[in-house]
């Protein structure tokens, strides 16, 4: 799959339906809250911390200097 894939081999609403009914994070959230394992407010606080960490990481990555030319292909291929 790629961003420009028209996905003509799928029924029209298949992806939308899967996202609405099979999202593993939403299923987890429903399960742990209905079982009393976690409160919605606890999960929301975790989501906020994660979003803050992601935003800080993006800012840090964008501010970082570009790698040197000799570093461009390091840690890209595995050598055995």
């Amino acid at each position: 799959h790629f961003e420009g894939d028209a996905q003509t081999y799928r029924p029209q609403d298949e992806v939308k339906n899967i996202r609405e009914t099979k999202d593993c994070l939403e299923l987890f959230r429903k399960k742990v809250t209905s079982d009393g394992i976690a409160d919605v407010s606890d999960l929301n606080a975790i989501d906020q911390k994660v979003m803050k960490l992601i935003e800080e990481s993006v800012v840090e990555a964008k501010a970082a200097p570009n790698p040197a030319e000799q570093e461009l292909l390091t840690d890209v291929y595995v050598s055995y």
Side-chain angles (χ1 to χ4, degrees):
H1 304 294
F2 65 96
E3 191 172 324
D5 184 359
Q7 298 187 18
T8 56
Y9 46 85
R10 292 179 181 251
Q12 186 174 1
D13 292 331
E14 180 182 18
V15 173
K16 179 182 178 224
N17 183 41
I18 290 171
R19 287 182 177 156
E20 290 174 354
T21 62
K22 308 259 187 216
D23 182 319
C24 60
L25 296 176
E26 285 301 319
L27 293 174
F28 172 81
R29 180 180 279 266
K30 287 177 186 174
K31 177 69 174 162
V32 298
T33 55
S34 68
D35 288 354
I37 297 170
D39 293 326
V40 172
S41 60
D42 295 333
L43 297 176
N44 289 342
I46 292 169
D47 286 345
Q48 288 176 351
K49 287 180 184 178
V50 169
M51 289 306 298
K52 183 179 179 195
L53 178 62
I54 291 170
E55 290 172 11
E56 290 170 352
S57 298
V58 168
V59 168
E60 182 180 336
K62 287 182 175 183
N66 289 329
E69 187 175 332
Q70 63 270 17
E71 295 175 345
L72 290 178
L73 297 178
T74 59
D75 301 319
V76 176
Y77 301 103
V78 175
S79 298
Y80 294 102

